[in-house]
mmCIF file of all heavy atoms in Angstrom:
data_model
loop_
_atom_site.group_PDB
_atom_site.id
_atom_site.type_symbol
_atom_site.label_atom_id
_atom_site.label_comp_id
_atom_site.label_asym_id
_atom_site.label_seq_id
_atom_site.Cartn_x
_atom_site.Cartn_y
_atom_site.Cartn_z
ATOM 1 N N LEU A 153 10.727 60.641 -29.768
ATOM 2 C CA LEU A 153 11.790 61.116 -28.836
ATOM 3 C C LEU A 153 11.570 60.383 -27.445
ATOM 4 O O LEU A 153 12.587 60.053 -26.804
ATOM 5 C CB LEU A 153 11.737 62.560 -28.669
ATOM 6 C CG LEU A 153 12.421 63.451 -29.854
ATOM 7 C CD1 LEU A 153 12.058 64.865 -29.658
ATOM 8 C CD2 LEU A 153 13.840 63.135 -29.949
ATOM 9 N N TRP A 154 10.410 60.173 -27.012
ATOM 10 C CA TRP A 154 10.146 59.512 -25.813
ATOM 11 C C TRP A 154 10.650 58.000 -25.862
ATOM 12 O O TRP A 154 11.301 57.569 -25.020
ATOM 13 C CB TRP A 154 8.699 59.462 -25.246
ATOM 14 C CG TRP A 154 8.293 60.713 -24.770
ATOM 15 C CD1 TRP A 154 7.367 61.647 -25.156
ATOM 16 C CD2 TRP A 154 8.701 61.283 -23.393
ATOM 17 N NE1 TRP A 154 7.362 62.658 -24.315
ATOM 18 C CE2 TRP A 154 8.086 62.425 -23.258
ATOM 19 C CE3 TRP A 154 9.692 60.825 -22.512
ATOM 20 C CZ2 TRP A 154 8.326 63.294 -22.109
ATOM 21 C CZ3 TRP A 154 9.938 61.585 -21.358
ATOM 22 C CH2 TRP A 154 9.259 62.768 -21.075
ATOM 23 N N VAL A 155 10.378 57.321 -27.020
ATOM 24 C CA VAL A 155 10.827 55.890 -27.175
ATOM 25 C C VAL A 155 12.437 55.940 -27.144
ATOM 26 O O VAL A 155 12.986 55.085 -26.353
ATOM 27 C CB VAL A 155 10.315 55.357 -28.535
ATOM 28 C CG1 VAL A 155 11.181 54.110 -28.872
ATOM 29 C CG2 VAL A 155 8.867 55.027 -28.382
ATOM 30 N N LEU A 156 13.039 56.850 -27.782
ATOM 31 C CA LEU A 156 14.497 56.892 -27.880
ATOM 32 C C LEU A 156 15.057 57.287 -26.448
ATOM 33 O O LEU A 156 16.057 56.659 -26.131
ATOM 34 C CB LEU A 156 15.044 57.820 -28.875
ATOM 35 C CG LEU A 156 14.595 57.483 -30.369
ATOM 36 C CD1 LEU A 156 15.211 58.486 -31.307
ATOM 37 C CD2 LEU A 156 15.111 56.160 -30.697
ATOM 38 N N THR A 157 14.309 58.075 -25.792
ATOM 39 C CA THR A 157 14.759 58.479 -24.431
ATOM 40 C C THR A 157 14.632 57.279 -23.440
ATOM 41 O O THR A 157 15.465 57.121 -22.655
ATOM 42 C CB THR A 157 13.936 59.672 -23.892
ATOM 43 O OG1 THR A 157 14.140 60.732 -24.812
ATOM 44 C CG2 THR A 157 14.297 60.094 -22.452
ATOM 45 N N TYR A 158 13.561 56.442 -23.582
ATOM 46 C CA TYR A 158 13.530 55.431 -22.779
ATOM 47 C C TYR A 158 14.620 54.418 -22.984
ATOM 48 O O TYR A 158 15.227 53.753 -22.042
ATOM 49 C CB TYR A 158 12.254 54.634 -22.964
ATOM 50 C CG TYR A 158 10.879 55.326 -22.732
ATOM 51 C CD1 TYR A 158 9.765 55.116 -23.537
ATOM 52 C CD2 TYR A 158 10.878 56.231 -21.784
ATOM 53 C CE1 TYR A 158 8.519 55.743 -23.208
ATOM 54 C CE2 TYR A 158 9.670 57.061 -21.506
ATOM 55 C CZ TYR A 158 8.603 56.663 -22.225
ATOM 56 O OH TYR A 158 7.395 57.414 -22.048
ATOM 57 N N LEU A 159 15.097 54.225 -24.316
ATOM 58 C CA LEU A 159 16.143 53.460 -24.601
ATOM 59 C C LEU A 159 17.436 54.047 -24.022
ATOM 60 O O LEU A 159 18.229 53.308 -23.408
ATOM 61 C CB LEU A 159 16.233 53.290 -26.141
ATOM 62 C CG LEU A 159 17.588 52.643 -26.724
ATOM 63 C CD1 LEU A 159 17.713 51.211 -26.129
ATOM 64 C CD2 LEU A 159 17.544 52.626 -28.164
ATOM 65 N N ALA A 160 17.671 55.296 -24.197
ATOM 66 C CA ALA A 160 18.837 55.935 -23.693
ATOM 67 C C ALA A 160 19.060 55.821 -22.198
ATOM 68 O O ALA A 160 20.069 55.835 -21.619
ATOM 69 C CB ALA A 160 18.909 57.467 -24.106
ATOM 70 N N GLU A 161 17.858 55.919 -21.549
ATOM 71 C CA GLU A 161 17.823 55.899 -20.039
ATOM 72 C C GLU A 161 17.746 54.515 -19.436
ATOM 73 O O GLU A 161 17.947 54.305 -18.318
ATOM 74 C CB GLU A 161 16.640 56.678 -19.517
ATOM 75 C CG GLU A 161 16.704 58.226 -19.852
ATOM 76 C CD GLU A 161 15.384 59.025 -19.367
ATOM 77 O OE1 GLU A 161 14.527 58.182 -19.130
ATOM 78 O OE2 GLU A 161 15.445 60.189 -19.271
ATOM 79 N N GLY A 162 17.385 53.640 -20.295
ATOM 80 C CA GLY A 162 17.084 52.191 -19.843
ATOM 81 C C GLY A 162 15.905 52.154 -18.938
ATOM 82 O O GLY A 162 15.626 51.305 -18.145
ATOM 83 N N SER A 163 14.899 53.135 -19.176
ATOM 84 C CA SER A 163 13.681 53.195 -18.358
ATOM 85 C C SER A 163 12.478 52.500 -19.136
ATOM 86 O O SER A 163 12.638 52.105 -20.238
ATOM 87 C CB SER A 163 13.349 54.603 -18.060
ATOM 88 O OG SER A 163 13.184 55.392 -19.377
ATOM 89 N N ASN A 164 11.373 52.358 -18.412
ATOM 90 C CA ASN A 164 10.257 51.857 -19.056
ATOM 91 C C ASN A 164 10.407 50.437 -19.671
ATOM 92 O O ASN A 164 9.880 50.080 -20.567
ATOM 93 C CB ASN A 164 9.541 52.701 -20.037
ATOM 94 C CG ASN A 164 8.885 53.825 -19.362
ATOM 95 O OD1 ASN A 164 9.433 54.573 -18.490
ATOM 96 N ND2 ASN A 164 7.600 54.122 -19.761
ATOM 97 N N GLY A 165 11.385 49.640 -19.028
ATOM 98 C CA GLY A 165 11.678 48.323 -19.541
ATOM 99 C C GLY A 165 12.589 48.272 -20.771
ATOM 100 O O GLY A 165 12.900 47.154 -21.180
ATOM 101 N N PHE A 166 13.123 49.370 -21.213
ATOM 102 C CA PHE A 166 13.959 49.428 -22.353
ATOM 103 C C PHE A 166 15.410 48.971 -22.117
ATOM 104 O O PHE A 166 16.163 48.943 -23.102
ATOM 105 C CB PHE A 166 13.862 50.806 -23.173
ATOM 106 C CG PHE A 166 12.647 50.924 -24.074
ATOM 107 C CD1 PHE A 166 11.390 50.940 -23.479
ATOM 108 C CD2 PHE A 166 12.899 50.991 -25.466
ATOM 109 C CE1 PHE A 166 10.293 51.165 -24.335
ATOM 110 C CE2 PHE A 166 11.724 51.226 -26.280
ATOM 111 C CZ PHE A 166 10.497 51.293 -25.726
ATOM 112 N N SER A 167 15.671 48.657 -20.924
ATOM 113 C CA SER A 167 17.057 48.147 -20.588
ATOM 114 C C SER A 167 17.333 46.749 -21.259
ATOM 115 O O SER A 167 18.445 46.401 -21.392
ATOM 116 C CB SER A 167 17.167 47.997 -19.120
ATOM 117 O OG SER A 167 16.223 47.125 -18.582
ATOM 118 N N VAL A 168 16.246 46.085 -21.815
ATOM 119 C CA VAL A 168 16.420 44.890 -22.459
ATOM 120 C C VAL A 168 16.842 44.956 -23.918
ATOM 121 O O VAL A 168 17.208 44.006 -24.540
ATOM 122 C CB VAL A 168 15.124 44.040 -22.333
ATOM 123 C CG1 VAL A 168 14.756 43.760 -20.893
ATOM 124 C CG2 VAL A 168 14.025 44.594 -23.161
ATOM 125 N N VAL A 169 16.742 46.205 -24.422
ATOM 126 C CA VAL A 169 17.002 46.392 -25.773
ATOM 127 C C VAL A 169 18.535 46.359 -26.087
ATOM 128 O O VAL A 169 19.283 46.704 -25.288
ATOM 129 C CB VAL A 169 16.355 47.790 -26.228
ATOM 130 C CG1 VAL A 169 16.777 48.111 -27.639
ATOM 131 C CG2 VAL A 169 14.907 47.704 -26.141
ATOM 132 N N ASP A 170 18.926 45.979 -27.315
ATOM 133 C CA ASP A 170 20.188 45.908 -27.805
ATOM 134 C C ASP A 170 20.985 47.117 -27.492
ATOM 135 O O ASP A 170 20.719 48.177 -27.897
ATOM 136 C CB ASP A 170 20.275 45.665 -29.351
ATOM 137 C CG ASP A 170 21.626 45.523 -29.881
ATOM 138 O OD1 ASP A 170 22.635 45.557 -29.183
ATOM 139 O OD2 ASP A 170 21.767 45.339 -31.202
ATOM 140 N N LYS A 171 22.029 46.961 -26.601
ATOM 141 C CA LYS A 171 22.861 48.072 -26.108
ATOM 142 C C LYS A 171 23.614 48.833 -27.211
ATOM 143 O O LYS A 171 24.051 50.013 -27.088
ATOM 144 C CB LYS A 171 23.827 47.628 -24.977
ATOM 145 C CG LYS A 171 23.273 47.040 -23.781
ATOM 146 C CD LYS A 171 22.320 47.975 -23.107
ATOM 147 C CE LYS A 171 21.774 47.419 -21.784
ATOM 148 N NZ LYS A 171 20.753 46.270 -22.032
ATOM 149 N N THR A 172 23.903 48.184 -28.373
ATOM 150 C CA THR A 172 24.614 48.864 -29.346
ATOM 151 C C THR A 172 23.833 49.918 -30.037
ATOM 152 O O THR A 172 24.356 50.709 -30.832
ATOM 153 C CB THR A 172 25.092 47.835 -30.545
ATOM 154 O OG1 THR A 172 23.782 47.236 -31.176
ATOM 155 C CG2 THR A 172 25.797 46.652 -29.955
#
Side-chain angles (χ1 to χ4, degrees):
L153 284 169
W154 279 115
V155 165
L156 297 180
T157 299
Y158 298 151
L159 173 57
E161 295 176 343
S163 59
N164 285 51
F166 276 69
S167 59
V168 301
V169 174
D170 182 359
K171 299 298 187 293
T172 64

